[in-house]
Coordinates of all heavy atoms in Angstrom, one line a residue:
M8 N -7.5 -4.9 8.2 CA -6.0 -4.7 8.1 C -5.4 -4.3 9.5 O -5.4 -3.2 9.8 CB -5.7 -3.6 7.1 CG -4.2 -3.2 7.1 SD -3.1 -4.0 6.0 CE -4.0 -4.0 4.6
P9 N -4.8 -5.3 10.3 CA -4.4 -5.0 11.5 C -3.2 -3.9 11.7 O -3.1 -3.3 12.8 CB -3.9 -6.4 12.1 CG -3.6 -7.2 10.9 CD -4.5 -6.7 9.8
C10 N -2.5 -3.8 10.6 CA -1.2 -3.1 10.8 C -1.3 -1.6 10.4 O -0.6 -0.7 10.8 CB -0.1 -3.8 10.0 SG -0.4 -5.6 9.9
H11 N -2.2 -1.4 9.5 CA -2.3 0.0 8.9 C -3.8 0.5 9.1 O -4.4 1.0 8.1 CB -1.9 0.1 7.6 CG -0.4 -0.3 7.2 ND1 0.6 0.6 7.6 CD2 0.2 -1.4 6.8 CE1 1.7 0.0 7.2 NE2 1.5 -1.1 6.8
N12 N -4.4 0.2 10.3 CA -5.8 0.5 10.5 C -5.9 2.0 11.0 O -4.9 2.7 11.2 CB -6.5 -0.5 11.3 CG -5.9 -0.6 12.7 OD1 -5.3 0.3 13.2 ND2 -5.9 -1.8 13.3
A13 N -7.1 2.3 11.4 CA -7.4 3.7 11.8 C -6.6 4.0 13.1 O -6.3 5.2 13.3 CB -8.9 3.8 12.0
L14 N -6.3 3.0 13.8 CA -5.6 3.2 15.2 C -4.1 3.0 15.1 O -3.4 3.8 15.8 CB -6.2 2.2 16.2 CG -7.7 2.4 16.5 CD1 -8.3 1.3 17.4 CD2 -8.1 3.8 17.0
K15 N -3.7 2.1 14.3 CA -2.3 1.7 14.2 C -1.8 2.1 12.7 O -2.2 1.5 11.8 CB -2.1 0.2 14.4 CG -0.8 -0.2 15.1 CD -0.7 -1.6 15.2 CE -1.4 -2.2 16.4 NZ -1.4 -3.7 16.5
H16 N -1.0 3.1 12.8 CA -0.4 3.7 11.5 C 1.1 3.2 11.3 O 1.9 4.1 11.3 CB -0.5 5.3 11.5 CG -1.9 5.6 11.5 ND1 -2.2 7.0 11.2 CD2 -3.1 5.2 11.8 CE1 -3.6 7.2 11.2 NE2 -4.0 6.1 11.6
R17 N 1.3 1.9 11.2 CA 2.7 1.5 11.0 C 3.3 2.2 9.8 O 2.7 2.3 8.8 CB 2.7 0.0 10.7 CG 2.2 -0.9 11.9 CD 3.3 -0.9 13.0 NE 2.8 -1.7 14.1 CZ 3.2 -3.0 14.3 NH1 3.7 -3.7 13.3 NH2 2.7 -3.5 15.4
G18 N 4.5 2.7 10.0 CA 5.2 3.5 8.9 C 4.4 4.8 8.5 O 4.5 5.2 7.5
G19 N 3.6 5.2 9.6 CA 2.9 6.5 9.3 C 1.7 6.3 8.3 O 1.1 7.3 7.8
L20 N 1.4 5.0 7.9 CA 0.5 4.8 6.9 C -0.9 4.1 7.5 O -0.8 3.2 8.1 CB 1.1 3.8 5.9 CG 0.2 3.3 4.7 CD1 -0.2 4.6 3.7 CD2 0.9 2.2 4.0
T21 N -2.0 4.7 7.1 CA -3.2 4.0 7.3 C -3.9 3.6 5.9 O -3.8 4.3 5.1 CB -4.3 4.8 8.1 OG1 -5.5 4.1 8.2 CG2 -4.7 6.1 7.5
L22 N -4.3 2.4 6.0 CA -5.0 1.9 4.8 C -6.5 1.6 5.1 O -7.3 0.9 4.5 CB -4.3 0.6 4.3 CG -2.9 0.8 3.8 CD1 -2.2 -0.5 3.5 CD2 -2.9 1.7 2.5
A23 N -6.9 2.2 6.2 CA -8.3 2.1 6.7 C -9.3 2.9 5.8 O -10.5 2.5 5.8 CB -8.4 2.5 8.1
N24 N -8.8 3.8 5.1 CA -9.8 4.6 4.3 C -9.0 5.2 3.1 O -7.8 5.3 3.1 CB -10.4 5.7 5.1 CG -9.4 6.6 5.9 OD1 -8.6 7.2 5.2 ND2 -9.6 6.6 7.1
Y25 N -9.7 5.6 2.1 CA -9.2 6.1 0.8 C -8.3 7.3 1.1 O -7.1 7.4 0.6 CB -10.3 6.5 -0.1 CG -9.8 7.0 -1.4 CD1 -9.4 6.1 -2.4 CD2 -9.8 8.3 -1.8 CE1 -8.9 6.5 -3.6 CE2 -9.4 8.8 -3.0 CZ -8.9 7.8 -3.9 OH -8.5 8.3 -5.1
A26 N -8.8 8.3 1.9 CA -8.0 9.5 2.1 C -6.7 9.1 2.8 O -5.6 9.7 2.4 CB -8.7 10.5 3.1
G27 N -6.7 8.2 3.7 CA -5.4 7.8 4.3 C -4.4 7.1 3.4 O -3.2 7.4 3.4
A28 N -5.0 6.3 2.6 CA -4.1 5.6 1.6 C -3.5 6.5 0.6 O -2.3 6.4 0.3 CB -5.0 4.4 0.9
M29 N -4.2 7.4 0.2 CA -3.8 8.4 -0.7 C -2.8 9.5 -0.2 O -1.9 10.0 -0.8 CB -5.0 9.2 -1.4 CG -5.9 8.3 -2.3 SD -5.0 7.2 -3.4 CE -4.4 8.3 -4.7
K30 N -2.9 9.6 1.2 CA -2.0 10.7 1.8 C -0.6 10.0 1.9 O 0.3 10.8 1.8 CB -2.7 10.9 3.2 CG -1.8 11.9 4.1 CD -2.6 12.3 5.3 CE -1.7 12.8 6.4 NZ -1.2 11.6 7.3
G31 N -0.6 8.7 2.1 CA 0.7 8.0 2.3 C 1.3 7.9 3.6 O 0.5 8.1 4.6
G32 N 2.6 7.6 3.8 CA 3.1 7.4 5.1 C 4.4 8.2 5.3 O 4.6 9.2 4.7
D33 N 5.3 7.6 6.2 CA 6.5 8.4 6.5 C 7.4 8.7 5.3 O 8.1 9.6 5.3 CB 7.3 7.4 7.5 CG 6.6 7.3 8.8 OD1 5.7 8.1 9.1 OD2 7.0 6.3 9.5
D34 N 7.2 7.9 4.3 CA 8.1 8.1 3.1 C 7.3 8.7 2.0 O 7.8 8.7 0.7 CB 8.7 6.8 2.6 CG 9.6 6.2 3.8 OD1 10.7 6.8 3.9 OD2 9.3 5.3 4.4
G35 N 6.2 9.4 2.3 CA 5.5 10.1 1.3 C 4.3 9.3 0.7 O 3.9 8.3 1.2
V36 N 3.9 9.7 -0.5 CA 2.7 9.0 -1.1 C 3.1 7.6 -1.5 O 4.3 7.3 -1.8 CB 2.2 9.7 -2.4 CG1 1.6 11.1 -2.0 CG2 3.3 9.9 -3.4
V37 N 2.2 6.7 -1.3 CA 2.5 5.3 -1.6 C 1.7 4.8 -2.8 O 1.9 3.7 -3.2 CB 2.3 4.4 -0.4 CG1 3.1 4.7 0.8 CG2 0.8 4.3 0.0
I38 N 0.8 5.7 -3.3 CA 0.0 5.3 -4.5 C 0.1 6.4 -5.5 O -0.1 7.6 -5.3 CB -1.5 5.2 -4.2 CG1 -1.7 4.0 -3.2 CG2 -2.3 4.9 -5.4 CD1 -3.2 4.0 -2.5
K39 N 0.7 6.1 -6.6 CA 0.8 7.1 -7.8 C -0.3 6.6 -8.8 O 0.0 5.6 -9.5 CB 2.2 7.1 -8.4 CG 3.3 7.6 -7.4 CD 4.5 7.9 -8.1 CE 5.4 8.7 -7.1 NZ 6.8 8.5 -7.4
A40 N -1.4 7.4 -8.8 CA -2.5 7.0 -9.7 C -2.0 6.9 -11.1 O -1.3 7.7 -11.7 CB -3.6 8.1 -9.6
G41 N -2.4 5.6 -11.7 CA -2.0 5.3 -13.0 C -0.6 4.7 -13.2 O -0.3 4.3 -14.4
D42 N 0.2 4.7 -12.1 CA 1.6 4.2 -12.2 C 1.9 3.1 -11.1 O 2.6 3.5 -10.2 CB 2.6 5.4 -12.1 CG 3.9 5.0 -12.4 OD1 4.2 3.9 -12.8 OD2 4.8 6.0 -12.2
P43 N 1.2 1.9 -11.3 CA 1.6 0.9 -10.2 C 3.1 0.6 -10.0 O 3.5 0.3 -8.9 CB 0.8 -0.3 -10.6 CG 0.4 0.0 -12.1 CD 0.5 1.4 -12.3
D44 N 3.8 0.6 -11.1 CA 5.3 0.1 -11.0 C 6.0 1.2 -10.2 O 7.0 0.8 -9.6 CB 5.8 0.1 -12.4 CG 5.1 -0.9 -13.3 OD1 4.5 -1.8 -12.7 OD2 5.2 -0.8 -14.5
N45 N 5.6 2.4 -10.0 CA 6.3 3.3 -9.2 C 5.4 3.8 -7.9 O 5.7 4.7 -7.3 CB 6.6 4.6 -10.0 CG 7.7 4.3 -11.1 OD1 8.8 3.9 -10.7 ND2 7.2 4.5 -12.3
S46 N 4.5 2.8 -7.6 CA 3.8 3.0 -6.4 C 4.3 2.1 -5.3 O 4.3 0.9 -5.4 CB 2.3 2.7 -6.6 OG 1.7 3.7 -7.5
L47 N 4.8 2.7 -4.1 CA 5.4 2.0 -3.1 C 4.4 1.0 -2.5 O 4.9 -0.1 -2.1 CB 5.8 3.0 -1.9 CG 6.7 2.6 -0.8 CD1 7.9 2.0 -1.4 CD2 6.9 3.6 0.3
L48 N 3.2 1.2 -2.6 CA 2.2 0.3 -2.0 C 2.3 -1.1 -2.8 O 2.3 -2.2 -2.2 CB 0.8 0.7 -2.2 CG -0.4 0.0 -1.6 CD1 -0.4 0.3 0.0 CD2 -1.6 0.1 -2.2
I49 N 2.5 -1.1 -4.1 CA 2.6 -2.3 -4.9 C 4.0 -2.9 -4.9 O 4.1 -4.1 -4.6 CB 2.3 -1.9 -6.4 CG1 1.0 -1.2 -6.6 CG2 2.5 -3.2 -7.3 CD1 -0.2 -2.0 -6.1
K50 N 5.0 -2.0 -4.8 CA 6.4 -2.4 -4.7 C 6.6 -3.3 -3.4 O 7.3 -4.4 -3.5 CB 7.4 -1.2 -4.7 CG 7.6 -0.5 -6.0 CD 8.7 0.6 -5.7 CE 8.9 1.4 -7.0 NZ 9.9 2.4 -6.6
V51 N 6.1 -2.8 -2.2 CA 6.4 -3.5 -1.0 C 5.6 -4.8 -1.0 O 6.0 -5.7 -0.1 CB 6.1 -2.7 0.3 CG1 7.0 -1.4 0.3 CG2 4.6 -2.2 0.4
L52 N 4.5 -4.9 -1.7 CA 3.7 -6.2 -1.8 C 4.5 -7.2 -2.6 O 4.3 -8.4 -2.4 CB 2.4 -6.0 -2.4 CG 1.4 -5.3 -1.5 CD1 0.1 -5.0 -2.3 CD2 1.0 -6.2 -0.3
N53 N 5.4 -6.8 -3.5 CA 6.1 -7.7 -4.4 C 7.5 -8.0 -3.8 O 8.3 -8.9 -4.5 CB 6.2 -7.2 -5.8 CG 5.0 -7.2 -6.5 OD1 4.3 -8.2 -6.5 ND2 4.5 -6.1 -7.0
G54 N 8.0 -7.3 -2.8 CA 9.3 -7.6 -2.2 C 9.8 -6.4 -1.4 O 9.2 -5.4 -1.4
P55 N 11.0 -6.7 -0.7 CA 11.5 -5.6 0.1 C 11.9 -4.5 -0.9 O 12.3 -4.7 -2.0 CB 12.7 -6.2 0.8 CG 13.1 -7.5 0.1 CD 11.7 -7.9 -0.7
V56 N 11.9 -3.2 -0.4 CA 12.3 -2.1 -1.2 C 13.6 -1.5 -0.6 O 13.7 -1.5 0.7 CB 11.2 -1.1 -1.2 CG1 11.6 0.2 -1.9 CG2 10.0 -1.6 -1.9
D57 N 14.5 -1.1 -1.4 CA 15.8 -0.5 -0.8 C 15.8 0.9 -0.5 O 16.2 1.4 0.6 CB 17.0 -0.7 -1.8 CG 17.5 -2.1 -1.8 OD1 17.2 -2.8 -0.7 OD2 18.0 -2.6 -2.9
S58 N 15.1 1.7 -1.4 CA 15.0 3.2 -1.2 C 13.7 3.7 -1.4 O 13.2 3.7 -2.5 CB 16.1 3.8 -2.1 OG 15.8 5.2 -2.1
P59 N 12.9 4.1 -0.3 CA 13.3 4.0 1.2 C 13.4 2.5 1.6 O 12.7 1.6 0.9 CB 12.2 4.6 1.8 CG 11.0 4.4 1.1 CD 11.6 4.6 -0.4
K60 N 14.2 2.2 2.6 CA 14.3 0.8 2.9 C 13.1 0.3 3.8 O 12.8 0.8 4.9 CB 15.5 0.7 3.9 CG 16.1 -0.7 4.1 CD 17.6 -0.9 4.4 CE 18.1 -2.2 4.2 NZ 17.8 -2.7 2.9
I61 N 12.2 -0.6 3.1 CA 11.0 -1.1 3.6 C 10.9 -2.5 3.4 O 11.1 -3.0 2.3 CB 9.8 -0.3 3.1 CG1 9.9 1.1 3.4 CG2 8.5 -0.9 3.7 CD1 8.9 1.9 3.1
P62 N 10.6 -3.4 4.4 CA 10.6 -4.8 4.2 C 9.4 -5.1 3.4 O 8.4 -4.3 3.2 CB 10.4 -5.4 5.6 CG 9.9 -4.2 6.5 CD 10.4 -2.9 5.9
K63 N 9.3 -6.4 2.9 CA 8.2 -6.9 2.1 C 7.0 -6.8 3.0 O 7.0 -7.1 4.2 CB 8.5 -8.3 1.6 CG 7.4 -8.9 0.7 CD 7.8 -10.2 0.3 CE 6.9 -10.7 -0.9 NZ 5.7 -11.2 -0.6
M64 N 5.8 -6.4 2.5 CA 4.5 -6.4 3.3 C 3.7 -7.6 2.7 O 3.7 -7.9 1.5 CB 3.9 -5.1 3.0 CG 4.6 -3.9 3.5 SD 4.7 -3.9 5.3 CE 6.2 -3.1 5.6
P65 N 2.8 -8.1 3.6 CA 2.7 -7.8 5.0 C 3.9 -8.4 5.8 O 4.4 -9.5 5.5 CB 1.5 -8.5 5.5 CG 1.1 -9.5 4.5 CD 1.8 -9.1 3.3
M66 N 4.3 -7.5 6.8 CA 5.4 -8.0 7.7 C 4.9 -9.1 8.6 O 3.6 -9.1 8.8 CB 5.9 -6.8 8.6 CG 6.8 -5.9 7.9 SD 7.2 -4.5 9.0 CE 8.3 -5.3 10.1
G67 N 5.8 -10.0 9.0 CA 5.2 -11.0 9.9 C 4.3 -12.0 9.2 O 4.5 -12.3 8.1
D68 N 3.3 -12.4 10.0 CA 2.3 -13.4 9.4 C 1.5 -12.8 8.3 O 1.3 -11.6 8.1 CB 1.4 -13.9 10.6 CG 2.2 -14.4 11.8 OD1 3.4 -14.8 11.4 OD2 1.6 -14.4 12.8
G69 N 0.8 -13.7 7.6 CA -0.2 -13.2 6.6 C 0.6 -13.1 5.2 O 1.8 -12.7 5.1
T70 N -0.2 -13.3 4.2 CA 0.2 -13.0 2.9 C -0.9 -12.3 2.1 O -2.0 -12.4 2.5 CB 0.6 -14.4 2.1 OG1 -0.6 -15.2 2.2 CG2 1.8 -15.1 2.8
V71 N -0.5 -11.6 1.0 CA -1.4 -11.1 0.0 C -1.2 -11.9 -1.3 O -0.1 -11.9 -1.8 CB -1.2 -9.6 -0.2 CG1 -2.2 -9.1 -1.2 CG2 -1.3 -8.9 1.1
S72 N -2.4 -12.5 -1.7 CA -2.2 -13.5 -2.9 C -1.8 -12.7 -4.1 O -2.2 -11.5 -4.3 CB -3.5 -14.2 -3.1 OG -4.4 -13.1 -3.7
P73 N -1.1 -13.3 -5.1 CA -0.8 -12.7 -6.4 C -2.0 -12.1 -7.0 O -1.9 -11.1 -7.6 CB 0.0 -13.8 -7.2 CG 0.4 -14.8 -6.2 CD -0.5 -14.7 -5.0
A74 N -3.1 -12.8 -6.9 CA -4.3 -12.3 -7.5 C -4.7 -11.0 -6.9 O -5.2 -10.1 -7.6 CB -5.4 -13.3 -7.4
D75 N -4.6 -10.9 -5.6 CA -5.1 -9.7 -4.9 C -4.1 -8.6 -5.3 O -4.5 -7.4 -5.3 CB -5.2 -9.9 -3.4 CG -6.5 -10.7 -3.1 OD1 -7.5 -10.7 -4.0 OD2 -6.5 -11.2 -2.0
I76 N -2.8 -8.9 -5.3 CA -1.9 -7.9 -5.7 C -2.1 -7.3 -7.0 O -2.1 -6.1 -7.3 CB -0.4 -8.4 -5.6 CG1 0.0 -8.8 -4.2 CG2 0.6 -7.5 -6.2 CD1 1.4 -9.5 -4.0
Q77 N -2.6 -8.2 -8.0 CA -2.9 -7.8 -9.3 C -4.1 -6.9 -9.3 O -4.1 -6.0 -10.0 CB -3.1 -9.0 -10.2 CG -3.3 -8.7 -11.7 CD -2.0 -8.0 -12.2 OE1 -0.9 -8.5 -12.0 NE2 -2.3 -6.8 -12.8
K78 N -5.1 -7.2 -8.5 CA -6.3 -6.4 -8.4 C -5.9 -5.0 -7.9 O -6.4 -4.1 -8.4 CB -7.3 -7.1 -7.4 CG -8.3 -8.0 -7.9 CD -9.4 -8.4 -6.9 CE -9.7 -9.9 -7.0 NZ -9.9 -10.5 -5.8
I79 N -5.0 -4.9 -6.9 CA -4.7 -3.6 -6.3 C -3.9 -2.9 -7.4 O -4.2 -1.6 -7.6 CB -3.8 -3.8 -5.0 CG1 -4.6 -4.6 -3.9 CG2 -3.4 -2.4 -4.5 CD1 -3.8 -5.0 -2.7
S80 N -3.0 -3.5 -8.1 CA -2.2 -2.9 -9.2 C -3.1 -2.5 -10.2 O -2.9 -1.3 -10.8 CB -1.2 -4.0 -9.6 OG -0.4 -3.4 -10.7
D81 N -4.1 -3.3 -10.7 CA -5.1 -2.8 -11.7 C -5.8 -1.5 -11.3 O -6.0 -0.6 -12.1 CB -6.0 -3.9 -12.0 CG -5.3 -5.1 -12.7 OD1 -4.2 -5.0 -13.2 OD2 -6.0 -6.2 -12.8
W82 N -6.2 -1.5 -10.0 CA -7.0 -0.4 -9.5 C -6.0 1.0 -9.6 O -6.5 2.0 -10.0 CB -7.3 -0.6 -8.1 CG -7.9 0.5 -7.4 CD1 -9.1 1.1 -7.5 CD2 -7.2 1.3 -6.3 NE1 -9.2 2.2 -6.7 CE2 -8.1 2.3 -5.9 CE3 -6.1 1.2 -5.6 CZ2 -7.8 3.3 -4.9 CZ3 -5.7 2.1 -4.6 CH2 -6.5 3.1 -4.3
V83 N -4.8 0.8 -9.2 CA -3.8 1.9 -9.3 C -3.7 2.3 -10.7 O -3.8 3.5 -11.1 CB -2.5 1.6 -8.7 CG1 -1.5 2.7 -8.9 CG2 -2.6 1.3 -7.2
K84 N -3.5 1.3 -11.7 CA -3.3 1.6 -13.1 C -4.5 2.3 -13.7 O -4.4 3.3 -14.5 CB -3.2 0.3 -13.8 CG -3.0 0.3 -15.3 CD -1.5 0.6 -15.6 CE -1.2 0.6 -17.1 NZ 0.1 1.3 -17.3
A85 N -5.7 2.0 -13.1 CA -7.0 2.6 -13.7 C -7.2 4.1 -13.0 O -8.2 4.6 -13.3 CB -8.1 1.7 -13.4
G86 N -6.3 4.5 -12.2 CA -6.4 5.9 -11.7 C -6.6 5.9 -10.3 O -6.8 7.0 -9.7
A87 N -6.7 4.8 -9.5 CA -6.7 4.8 -8.1 C -7.9 5.6 -7.6 O -7.8 6.4 -6.7 CB -5.5 5.3 -7.4
K88 N -9.1 5.4 -8.2 CA -10.3 6.1 -7.9 C -10.9 5.7 -6.6 O -10.7 4.6 -6.2 CB -11.4 5.9 -9.1 CG -10.9 6.2 -10.4 CD -11.6 7.4 -11.0 CE -11.1 8.0 -12.2 NZ -10.2 7.2 -12.9
D89 N -11.5 6.6 -5.9 CA -12.2 6.3 -4.6 C -13.3 5.3 -4.9 O -14.3 5.6 -5.5 CB -12.8 7.7 -4.0 CG -13.3 7.4 -2.6 OD1 -13.5 6.3 -2.2 OD2 -13.5 8.4 -1.8
P90 N -13.2 4.1 -4.2 CA -14.2 3.0 -4.5 C -15.5 3.5 -4.1 O -16.6 2.8 -4.5 CB -13.7 1.9 -3.7 CG -12.7 2.4 -2.8 CD -12.1 3.7 -3.3
D91 N -15.7 4.5 -3.1 CA -17.0 4.9 -2.7 C -17.7 5.9 -3.6 O -18.8 6.3 -3.3 CB -16.9 5.5 -1.2 CG -16.4 4.5 -0.2 OD1 -16.7 3.4 -0.5 OD2 -15.7 4.9 0.8
Y92 N -17.1 6.2 -4.6 CA -17.7 7.2 -5.5 C -18.0 6.5 -7.0 O -17.2 5.7 -7.4 CB -16.8 8.4 -5.8 CG -17.0 9.4 -4.5 CD1 -16.1 9.2 -3.5 CD2 -18.1 10.3 -4.5 CE1 -16.2 10.1 -2.3 CE2 -18.2 11.0 -3.4 CZ -17.3 11.0 -2.2 OH -17.5 11.7 -1.2
Ligands
HEM23 C1 0.8 -7.9 9.1 C2 0.5 -6.8 8.3 C3 1.4 -5.7 8.2 C4 2.4 -5.3 9.2 C5 2.6 -5.7 10.7 C6 2.9 -4.0 8.6 C7 3.9 -3.3 9.3 C8 4.6 -2.1 8.7 C9 5.7 -1.4 9.3 C10 6.3 -1.7 10.7 C11 6.0 -0.5 8.4 C12 7.2 0.5 8.6 C13 8.4 -0.1 8.0 C14 9.6 0.7 8.0 O1 9.6 1.9 7.8 O2 10.8 0.0 8.1 C15 5.2 -0.5 7.3 C16 5.3 0.3 6.2 C17 4.5 0.0 5.1 N1 3.6 -0.9 4.9 FE1 3.1 -2.4 6.1 N2 2.5 -3.8 7.3 C18 1.6 -4.8 7.1 C19 0.8 -5.0 5.9 C20 0.9 -4.2 4.9 C21 0.1 -4.4 3.7 C22 -0.9 -5.5 3.4 C23 0.5 -3.4 2.8 C24 0.1 -3.1 1.4 C25 -1.2 -3.3 1.0 C26 1.5 -2.5 3.5 C27 2.1 -1.4 3.0 C28 3.1 -0.7 3.6 C29 3.7 0.5 2.9 C30 3.4 1.1 1.6 C31 4.6 1.0 3.8 C32 5.5 2.1 3.8 C33 4.9 3.5 4.4 C34 6.0 4.5 4.4 O3 7.1 4.3 4.8 O4 5.6 5.6 3.8 N3 1.7 -3.1 4.8 N4 4.4 -1.7 7.4

């Protein structure tokens, strides 16, 4: 993930590791375990968000397929558990 990796924290957010993803970014937590509909991470994948004002992700080139968005949403719904445990 070129935009939210260990070196580049666009929006104050790193998605390079579980701790970083759960910590969130400039606008606070982006993952609400069990609640994908209110998780900023899922919202920005589905379109721009007004409050806070964040464009649709990924910005610029690249897309995340609906199937992958669903996979991430299901993971959040199931409690956003650390995949390494
Ligand atoms: C080409 C790839 C990407 C680029 C260049 C990018 C860039 C950015 C930038 C510049 C911001 C700050 C936006 C602002 O505050 O106006 C941002 C925020 C954010 N991005 Fe991305 N992004 C990319 C991919 C992704 C992907 C794939 C996801 C989700 C899996 C994602 C999730 C987020 C979230 C949740 C925020 C809000 C962080 C916060 O404000 O707390 N981004 N991104």
Side-chain angles (χ1 to χ4, degrees):
M8 165 91 49
C10 324
H11 297 286
N12 60 27
L14 301 174
K15 210 182 278 176
H16 294 192
R17 296 283 179 90
L20 176 69
T21 177
L22 297 173
N24 52 56
Y25 181 75
M29 298 311 286
K30 180 169 157 276
D33 294 344
D34 295 291
V36 295
V37 299
I38 297 170
K39 292 194 172 152
D42 189 4
D44 297 339
N45 290 303
S46 293
L47 191 58
L48 189 81
I49 306 298
K50 287 185 184 178
V51 297
L52 285 171
N53 287 314
V56 173
D57 283 333
S58 163
K60 200 153 189 56
I61 300 186
K63 185 174 192 286
M64 296 292 148
M66 279 177 74
D68 302 339
T70 55
V71 179
S72 71
D75 284 342
I76 295 174
Q77 190 57 52
K78 268 190 216 145
I79 302 168
S80 183
D81 293 345
W82 170 72
V83 174
K84 182 85 179 161
K88 302 241 168 24
D89 187 339
D91 293 333
Y92 283 94

